[in-house]
Structures are given as C-alpha cells and as structure tokens.
Amino acid sequence: MAGTPEPLAKLDKNALHPLEVAIFLDFDGTLADIAEDPAAVAVPRQTIEALARLEKITGGAVAIVTGRPISEIDYFLFPLNLPIAGVHGLERRGADGSMTSVPTDEKALEYVADHLERFRDRNEGIFIEHKQGSIALHYRKRPELESASKTAVHEAVNGHAGLHILNGKKVIEIKAGKATKADALKAFLKEHPFTGRIPLFAGDDVTDEDAFVAIAGDRGVSIKIGDGKTAAAYRADSTESFRSWLDSLAGMFERNN
C-alpha cells in the first residue's frame, strides 16, 4: 500500500481538464450509500444529474466499474446509459454499446451456491446474491458471523482452481473468472473516448485497490471513499462528501469551458 492519502479537498480540480480526464467510478459506497439489502440502495437525483453533466462535458468519458451486474446499474442510474464494467470486470459495455464478457465456470459456481445456501439456511440474516459469473455472500445483518462465513466460502471453493474469492465490506464474493477492476480500466483506456486520457478512479472497498495501483503508472488520480488502508492518493471522508465533490467537479468543468 502507498502512504497516507491526502484529503480530497487538496486535489486541485483546476489541474483536471474535461477532455483530458477519463472518470471511472465504483457504485456501492461511492455513488450509493451501502444498504443491508443490496436492492434497497438509491442514488440521489442530484448525483445522477451530475453524472449526466460530466458525461456530456467530457465527451462520454465517464464509466462505472462495479461488482454489480450491468443491468442493475442501468436500473439505479436511469435514464443514464453509461459504459459499465460489471461483476468486477467479468462483463463490460463499451461507450459504443458493444458487450464483452469473460468465460466462467458456471458448474463450479452451482456447486458453491448449493454449499452456501445450506450455510444460509442455518443462519438467519445471511443473504446470497446470484450474479452471472459470481456469487456473493452478505453477512451485513450478522457481522458476528464473519469468521464462519469466510470458513463456509473457503470450504465451498476448495478444489475449484478457477474460482476466486474477493473479500469486501461485510460481503464475500466468489468469482468464476480472472478479470479484475484493473483489467476493466485498462480495457476502457484502449477505447474511444477514454484512450489517451488521465484516468480518475474512485472506490470505497478493498476490491478497488488493484485499480488504484494500476492507474498510478498512468499519472492517474485515485480516490478512496471512507476509512481503511489504501493505495489511493486521495481520500473522501464519506459517500456523501464524494458525491458533493463530484457535483462540484461538474460545475467547475462547465464554468471553465
């Protein structure tokens, strides 16, 4: 990990030009407040409007990079239809609308799902989220079951070399593919309108750290939302403060151009 990140207020927004920056944003904990039920989150209307303004003034260089499926992000950010890397990079929609995906071992995931569902049935409050290419075990309602949840996941994954475990905030995800958020950013940066631009990536969880590291070599701007060790260069205190900063960035771009 890098040293202590600077407060986000110290990032000179004037050094960013809308046609020279590519903006990549995580979703939960970054644009939306984290909720016990993943289906219960909401993005403030002002934030959706800020994203629309940024998309317009950057020439479309705004993308979401998330652990959620693309379809869910489209729902929460309606009427926007942004480029999105979903399920930690297993699926991706480019700015031109083209879709790409990483092959996954669905049979192995079915075995894991059966194992984890039995664990869930024995422990009220555990929630299993099924996605294309991954399964997430949420223990937000039962934080005292963190250790037991991790044990259940490792037991389920044991023997399946193609599965990867991602530990997040009170959630453990089992992914049946090798793609990461860093891979997704690199793929976007090879495509119009992102290519040749300075990447800015904001995220709140440990699953975002590989992307923070990846963009450091591209003079990238990395922003960690919330507390915890991080490789990011800047830190926003909360989701709310980051959303406010994003709105102010859109306003500054509009005033200066």
Side-chain angles (χ1 to χ4, degrees), residues 80-120:
L80 296 183
N81 191 249
L82 299 174
I84 301 172
V87 197
H88 303 282
L90 288 183
E91 56 181 20
R92 192 170 64 85
R93 182 175 69 209
D96 63 357
S98 61
M99 298 289 296
T100 57
S101 61
V102 175
T104 57
D105 187 345
E106 294 299 323
K107 287 187 177 181
L109 278 180
E110 288 177 9
Y111 172 85
V112 170
D114 288 343
H115 187 97
L116 296 183
E117 284 166 1
R118 290 195 295 272
F119 174 75
R120 175 202 60 197

Side-chain angles (χ1 to χ4, degrees), residues 3 26 31 79 96 115 133-134 163 170 189 200 205 215 225 238:
D26 179 37
L31 297 177
D96 63 357
H115 187 97
S134 80
L163 300 182
K170 295 183 175 59
L189 289 168
L200 181 155
D205 211 341
I215 66 172
I225 290 88
S238 65

Side-chain angles (χ1 to χ4, degrees), residues 23-181:
I23 300 174
F24 301 104
L25 304 167
D26 179 37
F27 184 75
D28 293 284
T30 300
L31 297 177
D33 293 312
I34 292 176
E36 287 188 352
D37 181 353
V41 304
V43 180
R45 176 55 52 184
Q46 184 176 358
T47 301
I48 293 177
E49 291 172 354
L51 290 172
R53 292 157 60 203
L54 286 167
E55 180 192 27
K56 180 178 179 180
I57 201 165
T58 62
V62 177
I64 307 300
V65 182
T66 175
R68 286 185 184 258
I70 290 173
S71 60
E72 291 187 9
I73 301 302
D74 283 342
Y75 172 79
F76 288 119
L77 294 184
F78 182 82
L80 296 183
N81 191 249
L82 299 174
I84 301 172
V87 197
H88 303 282
L90 288 183
E91 56 181 20
R92 192 170 64 85
R93 182 175 69 209
D96 63 357
S98 61
M99 298 289 296
T100 57
S101 61
V102 175
T104 57
D105 187 345
E106 294 299 323
K107 287 187 177 181
L109 278 180
E110 288 177 9
Y111 172 85
V112 170
D114 288 343
H115 187 97
L116 296 183
E117 284 166 1
R118 290 195 295 272
F119 174 75
R120 175 202 60 197
D121 293 344
R122 296 192 303 270
N123 296 280
E124 184 179 356
I126 294 293
F127 174 68
I128 305 294
E129 182 183 11
H130 296 266
K131 311 177 192 179
Q132 183 65 35
S134 80
I135 299 167
L137 185 154
H138 297 262
Y139 55 91
R140 183 166 301 279
K141 293 181 179 180
R142 297 290 305 276
E144 74 278 12
L145 292 178
E146 177 179 3
S147 179
S149 296
K150 289 181 177 180
T151 297
V153 167
H154 282 274
E155 288 176 348
V157 170
N158 186 36
H160 297 282
L163 300 182
H164 306 274
I165 298 173
L166 301 174
N167 290 290
K169 291 181 176 178
K170 295 183 175 59
V171 59
I172 312 167
E173 188 152 352
I174 303 92
K175 189 174 65 169
K178 295 182 179 180
T180 65
K181 289 187 176 184

